[in-house]
Structure formats: structure tokens, C-alpha cells
Amino acid sequence: PNYVLDVCKTWVGRDGSVEAFSDAAREDAMRTIDILSSQALRVLAIAVRPMAQLPFDPEEDQDSSADEKMGILCQDLTLMGLVASIDPPRAGVRDAVQAAQNGHIRVMMITGDYLKTAAAIAQDVGILEPDVGERGALDCTSLRPSGDYLPDLKIDELTKDARVFARAKPEDKLEIVKSLQRQGLVSAMTGDGVNDAPALNAADIGVAMGIQGTEVAKGASAMILTDDNFVSIVGAVEKGRVIYAGIQKFVAFIMSVHIAEVLQIFICIVSELPVMRTPLQILYLILVTDLAPSIALGLEPGQAGIMNDRPRPKKQPILLWWMWVSTVANAAILTAIIISVYIWGLDTFVNERNVKMISRMVVDEEANGLPGHTKRGLEQAQTVAFISLVWSENIRAYTSRSFDSPVCKELCTNRYMQGAIGVAQAALYTAIFLPGLSDILGLKGADIGLKGWIAALVGAGACLVACEAYKALQWLAG
């Protein structure tokens, strides 16, 4: 409205007569505008200039810009009055702004509104604190005081602390986005008009309005809001964090069990133990028993307070260094326990550990027509280790649901995990009991006896205790 007042020469007084628009009347109108604007009201100034015809020919004068033509028309206007309106914020916006701020996301408002109106609206929704100084809310003319934009460093100084930019032009939005990016920040920009397209395209994440947005704005954006609601943006951020955390857990779990499986085979080879697993058993583990729990980890509902975490840097790897340490440590724990169970099985069912001696024993039994107790004992030892490994990996799936919380916390909140463990267990018992398949895989679940099942269970329990103990030590170490 101040732009309109600046070009008014007369105004309609309270009695309806046209009077000169004196400096005192202008100051009185500005005070009224400030009072209304501070109440989060949008104020429009209504002014007229009757004319018999346009001062230019719209058909022939094609070279003049719209701003130049508007400048010709907006001269010697008569102020008719002020109109104030309010556009109340949508339900949930203030809570969404607070959630974003708790998540260390800086919410900024860029608007064409008058400065005091913009500041009042920003205070109503929590973007601007009441005690913030002048640097918290800026008129965009401060970015271009003489018409041209300030140097980059000076613009960066202004945008570093500001939360509200008022009386913004479309090109101001682009400059603000570029300034935030120069400061190393990831910027998400919302807009709906054609003039917003450059800023939407330049932002790291352009967000267009799906209902009121133009096709140009939608085309320049990376995301479209179907409900034109800021609350949906914060919800998308939270969902994105949950998905990313699920990916981290999936990768950490699948890497830990696969590293453990490789280590177990490696230790068997260098220690001259019989290889505890055949290629078919390894393939069955990867495709059947491991796959379902790992997918369920990717569908985790997310830990409470995830919106309080700091945003991750753009180039940060999926697994951080301490996550890799945890992954390798858990793989080492799993390896040590399953190797111990396997050695127990060799001592119990074969009474020999050396692969060369066992091979010689198998050859001698076959050559002499003996029943083949050694081969059967080896299969029993492998079966006990196989069962203990599947049980341990299923337990690891539960412990992997959090890098720092105990396994008992929110144990059953992921319904997909319950189903995945059920699938893995069904696959296990099918492999060791189903005639034909158990022969192909070389697993003899019916032959290991009670002591074999107890040994497998002890191994799984030891895995649970050791992995949780490591998690507790890691948490204590900070």
C-alpha cells in the first residue's frame, strides 16, 4: 500500500469531499496501515484516476514494458481508502513449523506482503519469535537498496539470520535460494506461479503447488504437493527420514550377516576344519532365510523423536564410520558363536576336527562298506550350525532395528518383521525336515537329537546377549 500512497495527490475525506493528500494525512494513513498489518491483516490501498482515454495506444505502443505503462497510469491518483483482510493459517501449520524447527530445519517465509503483515503472520505460525530483532524480518529492498543487488557476501550476511522476507519480487526468491546454497545449506523452495519457476528449478528441492500451481511451476519442481499444504512437506521430511533410517538398518544387517557367513567359511579353510556349509546351503540362506527379515527392516515404522535429529549432509555415506564398526563387530560376534557351535558339533558327532582326517575316515568307510557314520556325523554338525545360524540371524534382525536401543524396546511395533521371521522359520524347518529337499541340502534335522537342538539354541542365545552387550558398550562410549 505504501507504493500506492506515494503516487496519490488527493484523497476522499471522511465527508466524501476530495482534499489534497497532505503529509499529515499520508502519515496518518501509514500509521493505520502499520496498526492493521501488525494484526496479520493484509492491507490494500484503493486509488483511482478517472481518464477519458489511455495516455498511450495499446495497439501501437508494443515496445513499452508493463511496468513502464503502469508508471504512466499511476500518477496523480486519488486515494479512496484502505481495505484490510485476513487469510488465517491452516490447521496444523504452527505444529508443523515447530516440528521442522525441532528437526533443525530452518523455515523461512518469502512473500510480497507488507513487512509488518509478513512479520505478524510469521509470528502467528511460529516462524518468527516475538523477541527477534530487526534482522529476523527484512524488506527485500534491503537486498537491492539502489536497484541492483548487493555483493554476494553482503546478501549472505542478511540471509544468514533472516526468517521473513517481505515485499519480494520473483527474482528476489532466486537470489535468496542462491545465497542459502552458497552457505552450504540444502534449500527446499515452494511456489505456484510462472515467476517462481527459476527459484524452484535452482533450489535443491523445488516444491510446486498441485492445486493452484501453474504447469510451468510443476515442471520446474522436483515434488508436487497435491493438497497445497505446508504440513504435507514436514510429513514428507519425516517419512523420508524413516525410509532412510530403514535403508541404513537394512544395509547394516545384510552386511553383518554376509560378512559373518564369509568369515565362517574362511576360518574353516584356514583352520583345516571341514567347510561348514555347502554352496547350496549358502544360496538357500541368502535367498530364503536372510531375505525376508532384511526387507522387513527396510519397512521399520521409525523411532520416536526421529524429527529431532539433525539433517544429514548431502554427501554423507549411507553407513557412517561407527555404523561400519558396529556391523563388523556384530559379524565377528556371529562368526565366533557359530564356529563354536560347529566345533562342538564336530566333537560330538564326528569326534574329529581336521578336514583331512575326516576325509580319510569317509573314504575308508566307503571303501570298506561301512555304514558311513563319519559322513552322517558331519552332516549333523553342519545341521546344528545351520539351525543356530538361522536362529541367530533372526535374532540379529530384531537387534538391528535400532543401533542404540535395547531389543526389548518396542519389540512388536513392526508387524512386517513378525511375518518375515515366520517365513524364515518356516523355510528353516522345510529345509531340515522335508524329504528330498533336506537330502539335496545335506541337512538332517531329525538326526541331531535333543542335545543338537539345545546347542543351536545356546548359540542363538549367546548371539543375543553378546550383540546387546556390544550395543550397550557402544552407547556408554558415546
Side-chain angles (χ1 to χ4, degrees), residues 244-253 316-320 323 403:
Y244 191 80
I247 293 173
Q248 288 180 314
K249 295 168 188 176
F250 166 85
V251 173
F253 169 75
Q316 178 178 289
I318 292 178
L319 290 188
L320 304 179
M323 292 179 182
F403 287 102

Side-chain angles (χ1 to χ4, degrees), residues 303 322 399 401-406 409 468 471-472 474-475:
Q303 292 177 269
W322 66 269
T399 62
R401 294 181 63 216
S402 173
F403 287 102
D404 50 17
S405 299
K409 186 176 181 181
E468 286 298 286
K471 190 187 293 184
Q474 190 179 41
W475 182 80

Side-chain angles (χ1 to χ4, degrees), residues 273 337-353 377 380-381 384-385 448-456:
L273 295 171
I337 290 172
I338 300 305
I339 287 289
S340 299
V341 171
Y342 184 51
I343 290 175
W344 175 90
L346 291 174
D347 291 343
T348 301
F349 297 110
V350 185
N351 200 29
E352 178 58 57
R353 299 182 185 179
Q380 289 172 310
V384 172
I448 63 175
L450 179 61
K451 60 185 178 182
W453 289 98
I454 292 175

Side-chain angles (χ1 to χ4, degrees), residues 225-289:
L225 285 181
T226 58
D227 59 357
D228 289 9
N229 196 339
F230 173 79
V231 177
S232 299
I233 298 178
V234 179
V237 171
E238 182 175 10
K239 186 64 176 177
R241 291 187 177 190
V242 170
I243 292 172
Y244 191 80
I247 293 173
Q248 288 180 314
K249 295 168 188 176
F250 166 85
V251 173
F253 169 75
I254 208 71
M255 289 300 296
S256 70
V257 297
H258 286 177
I259 290 172
E261 290 167 6
V262 172
L263 284 175
Q264 291 161 33
I265 303 300
F266 176 77
I267 291 174
C268 286
I269 293 172
V270 300
S271 302
E272 295 190 341
L273 295 171
V275 176
M276 71 165 66
R277 217 161 286 127
T278 67
L280 281 177
Q281 291 173 2
I282 295 172
L283 189 62
Y284 193 85
L285 279 170
I286 293 173
L287 296 180
V288 182
T289 61

Side-chain angles (χ1 to χ4, degrees), residues 144-375:
R144 38 179 170 76
S146 60
D148 295 328
Y149 285 102
L150 296 171
D152 290 348
L153 287 177
K154 290 188 176 181
I155 291 180
D156 293 349
E157 278 294 316
L158 294 173
T159 59
K160 182 176 65 175
D161 300 318
R163 297 290 184 274
V164 176
F165 295 90
R167 295 204 299 174
K169 295 182 178 180
E171 53 267 30
D172 295 334
K173 299 178 182 181
L174 179 60
E175 290 299 322
I176 293 168
V177 167
K178 289 160 58 177
S179 173
L180 296 174
Q181 291 174 330
R182 284 195 297 269
Q183 298 170 50
L185 301 174
V186 177
S187 63
M189 172 74 189
T190 64
D192 57 7
V194 173
N195 292 335
D196 294 328
L200 290 170
N201 187 59
D204 296 281
I205 307 169
V207 184
M209 303 295 110
I211 299 174
Q212 297 182 351
T214 62
E215 292 303 317
V216 174
K218 294 176 184 178
S221 300
M223 185 169 73
I224 298 174
L225 285 181
T226 58
D227 59 357
D228 289 9
N229 196 339
F230 173 79
V231 177
S232 299
I233 298 178
V234 179
V237 171
E238 182 175 10
K239 186 64 176 177
R241 291 187 177 190
V242 170
I243 292 172
Y244 191 80
I247 293 173
Q248 288 180 314
K249 295 168 188 176
F250 166 85
V251 173
F253 169 75
I254 208 71
M255 289 300 296
S256 70
V257 297
H258 286 177
I259 290 172
E261 290 167 6
V262 172
L263 284 175
Q264 291 161 33
I265 303 300
F266 176 77
I267 291 174
C268 286
I269 293 172
V270 300
S271 302
E272 295 190 341
L273 295 171
V275 176
M276 71 165 66
R277 217 161 286 127
T278 67
L280 281 177
Q281 291 173 2
I282 295 172
L283 189 62
Y284 193 85
L285 279 170
I286 293 173
L287 296 180
V288 182
T289 61
D290 293 349
L291 187 60
S294 60
I295 292 175
L297 276 174
L299 300 173
E300 277 290 305
Q303 292 177 269
I306 196 169
M307 277 301 290
N308 295 331
D309 296 341
R310 285 190 173 276
R312 63 179 180 86
K314 283 196 294 186
K315 297 184 178 180
Q316 178 178 289
I318 292 178
L319 290 188
L320 304 179
W321 171 247
W322 66 269
M323 292 179 182
W324 273 113
V325 172
S326 175
T327 298
V328 174
N330 282 287
I333 290 170
L334 185 58
T335 298
I337 290 172
I338 300 305
I339 287 289
S340 299
V341 171
Y342 184 51
I343 290 175
W344 175 90
L346 291 174
D347 291 343
T348 301
F349 297 110
V350 185
N351 200 29
E352 178 58 57
R353 299 182 185 179
N354 186 273
V355 63
K356 295 179 181 178
M357 289 298 297
I358 292 174
S359 297
R360 189 176 298 118
M361 291 164 62
V362 171
V363 171
D364 290 344
E365 288 175 354
E366 291 178 349
N368 296 321
L370 298 175
H373 294 299
T374 303
K375 183 178 180 180

Side-chain angles (χ1 to χ4, degrees), residues 379-392:
E379 289 180 339
Q380 289 172 310
Q382 291 176 333
T383 300
V384 172
F386 188 90
I387 294 170
S388 189
L389 177 64
V390 174
W391 284 353
S392 297

Side-chain angles (χ1 to χ4, degrees), residues 417-431:
M417 182 61 74
Q418 327 309 330
I421 297 301
V423 169
Q425 289 298 300
L428 168 63
Y429 302 127
T430 300

